[in-house]
Every structure is written in C-alpha cells, then in structure tokens.
Amino acid sequence: MKIGCPTEIKPQEFRVGMTPDAAREAVNHGHQALIQKGAGLGAGFTDEDYIAAGAMILDTAEEIFANADMIVKVKEPQAVERKMLREGQLLFTYLHLAPDPAQTHDLLASGCTAIAYETVTDASGGLPLLAPMSEVAGRLAPQVGAWTLQKANGGRGILMGGVPGVAPARVVVIGGGVVGTHAAKIAAGMGADVTILDRSLPRLKYLDDVFGRDFKNQYATAGATAELVREADMVIGAVLIPGAEAPKLVSRAMLSDMKPGAALVDVAIDQGGCFETSRATTHADPIYEVDGIMHYCVANMPGAVARTSTQALGNATLPFMLSLADKGWRQACEDDPHLLNGLNVHAGKLTYYAVGKALGLDVISPTLALKS
C-alpha cells in the first residue's frame, strides 16, 4: 500500500501524521511511505530522517493525495484537502465530525473511507488513539491557563501556587477522565487549590484512592458546578462524549457570577466546547474575553508541543496503521471490532451514530458498511 503523509496546514499546527520510525516500520512491512517535503520540520524531523527510513519525499500535497492509497494525518482535513480526497481512498486521522457539518458533508461527497482516531476503542472501553493527545492537552491546560490568568493577558493576576501568606489560585476541572486527571495533577503540582468534578462515582472513588489529598473531588450536579465555577479563578473544561458534540456545562449567564478576569480553558473545543461562550481559537491568537471572563479555546492545543505530541500519537497509531496497510481496511476492521468503531464515513454513507444524531443525518451500521 502507498501510505501518504501531507504537511498539516491548520493554523499553527506543527505535528506530523507519521514519524520517521513509523515510515521505517511501514517500509519494513512492504509498503511505500510518501511524505510531503518539510512535513516533519515542525516536530523536529527532517526530510533526510525520512529518506534514511526508506520513505519517498514528494513536493506537494497534491502529489501525496493523488498517489496514496491511505492518507495519514493528525488534524481533520481542511477544505482544500477535502477536495483532493477521492472515492475508495482511506483517510486515517482525527476527524471530530459532530460539530463540523461542512467537513462531514465534504467527506461524504468525496466517496472516501474515513477512520477517526478519536472513536477507535480498546478492550477496556478506552479511546487509545485519543488518550495520548488527551494526556498532552490535560497537562498543558493549567500551563496555558496560568498564562491566561496573568494581568497582562487580561486575567486576574493570580499566581497558581500563591506565596506564603497569600492563597493559591482556585482551579475547577470539569470532567474526571484522561484530560481532567492530567490537568488536576499538573494544577495541583503548581500549588493550586484544585477540585475535580465528575458524574461517575466509581471514577471519583478511583481519583480519591489514587490521588488522595493532592486534589479534591465532587459529584457534578448542576448546583455544585455553578457554586464551584462562581468561586474559581480558573475552570478547565475536560468533558468528552465519544464522537459526539460536547455538552454545554457553563452557560453565559454563569459568567456574570464569576470573578472578573477568571480564566476558562476549554479542552473540549475540538468537539464544540463545553462552555456556551466557547469558540475555536489558534495558537497565534489564543484568548478572548466575554463578559469580563478570559477564554482560552485553542482547537489543537497539543500542536504547541509538536515533538512530544507527534511521538506520543505515533506510538499509539502505528499498530492500527500497519494493520490497515497490511490487510486493507475491510479485513482489518473485520478482525478488530475496536478499529471498526473508528469507521465514521464510507462511500458516501455516515457510519457513526453520535455524529448522525448531532447533525441530523442518516447513519448505516459500520458492520453493514463492511459488506458494501
């Protein structure tokens, strides 16, 4: 199989879909790795690194899309890239379709087969291709939130850990999954007063057993959430419903009760955001203010630490990429129901229920798509 990896073109996106190590593995399995010139530079990988791994360097994205049987990326294909997809071509990347009708319709029109990293599952019910970026984004969230809290950036002028005689920042993390747990760990490590909210009692018990007094936890009723948000200096949104649009848990009306200059960091922005006032921003212009509250809503947070993120993502995606290349997507998905859960689009049909529900589109079962 010819596996193509174009340069990411989303603003301030420095990650790359395939590392030189992944290219070497693909070549060792008998496949061709086609890498766009300069695709790895943002993550610290040169064209020479890829050539040494046995990959072929092509000058343009048009050449990559025209020649590759499978396209491997990081972020969802942008409009100009979607025009280059063709019938029967396999796309393997993050998609986040639920809040993105334009992308969804373009993928359906292209006739391609699209497998989304974020909906591939594992035997424990986890999301193995989302987890590494969730870990990165969770660890970044308190860091960028602390920057947003600085007075020069419009924030309250609060130091996360305080100093002797001055209280630390109060940080509320909504969601106790991978993102939330890593965010709480880092915020607590910075010395902040941290509370994590979740609706799963087993998850709250786990957090209490493992992290003890590092941070507090509380059941996420609407009342408890409103009370904690009102007193917070920073709120980190870390909620995920796999493949679906994120629920809006902090309304605009709640902002008027918050401390002026408080920071909202919406890690769920890729799935539409979990704050009513969230809108996607970029690393070049990451923050904005609504009703006196600072918002950080960068849609590709891990792109800021591109080398770490690329390596972590590559470690997770490599076995699935090789399976798709070695067997073809049908056999690979038939052999692995967890990979089949990643199938979102095939031959003009939507195959993921949560996306169809969010966008009001008809859906066929992925099992049926295997036979079409």
Side-chain angles (χ1 to χ4, degrees), residues 283-309:
H283 291 290
D285 188 16
I287 58 176
Y288 62 94
E289 175 267 330
V290 177
D291 297 342
I293 306 302
M294 303 307 299
H295 293 58
Y296 183 102
C297 302
V298 172
N300 58 330
M301 285 176 61
V305 286
R307 190 171 180 88
T308 297
S309 296

Side-chain angles (χ1 to χ4, degrees), residues 80-306:
V80 66
E81 295 174 309
R82 300 196 292 268
K83 293 177 182 178
M84 293 187 278
L85 290 166
R86 65 179 185 272
E87 185 175 351
Q89 194 168 43
L90 178 60
L91 175 64
F92 191 39
T93 188
Y94 288 117
L95 293 176
H96 302 293
L97 294 179
D100 193 346
Q103 183 197 175
T104 304
H105 287 293
D106 285 352
L107 292 182
L108 292 171
S110 75
C112 78
T113 297
I115 296 178
Y117 293 162
E118 72 272 11
T119 62
V120 173
T121 57
D122 62 24
S124 65
L127 302 169
L129 305 189
L130 187 62
M133 295 304 94
S134 296
E135 292 164 356
V136 172
R139 290 179 177 229
L140 274 175
Q143 181 175 316
V144 299
W147 177 83
T148 304
L149 277 177
Q150 293 177 24
K151 192 64 178 178
N153 299 321
R156 283 177 51 74
I158 299 288
L159 183 65
M160 287 286 277
V163 293
V166 180
R170 291 185 177 180
V171 176
V172 174
V173 181
I174 305 177
V178 176
V179 170
T181 301
H182 283 266
K185 283 170 61 178
I186 296 302
M190 296 171 77
D193 178 356
V194 182
T195 302
I196 193 165
L197 288 160
D198 201 273
R199 283 184 172 268
S200 167
L201 286 174
R203 185 63 182 178
L204 292 175
K205 290 176 182 177
Y206 166 82
L207 293 172
D208 190 64
D209 287 342
V210 173
F211 298 103
R213 298 185 182 277
D214 290 349
F215 50 80
K216 295 169 281 188
N217 67 74
Q218 190 163 336
Y219 190 80
T221 64
T225 300
E227 181 179 349
L228 285 166
V229 166
R230 183 168 55 247
E231 298 299 322
D233 298 300
M234 182 193 304
V235 180
I236 296 173
V239 179
L240 174 71
I241 300 174
E245 190 168 6
K248 300 296 185 282
L249 301 178
V250 175
S251 68
R252 181 162 189 168
M254 292 168 68
L255 302 190
S256 61
D257 293 329
M258 294 180 68
K259 302 173 182 177
L264 299 181
V265 180
D266 198 341
V267 186
I269 192 65
D270 276 340
Q271 294 292 141
C274 59
F275 308 137
E276 184 183 357
T277 45
S278 291
R279 57 175 173 80
T281 60
T282 67
H283 291 290
D285 188 16
I287 58 176
Y288 62 94
E289 175 267 330
V290 177
D291 297 342
I293 306 302
M294 303 307 299
H295 293 58
Y296 183 102
C297 302
V298 172
N300 58 330
M301 285 176 61
V305 286

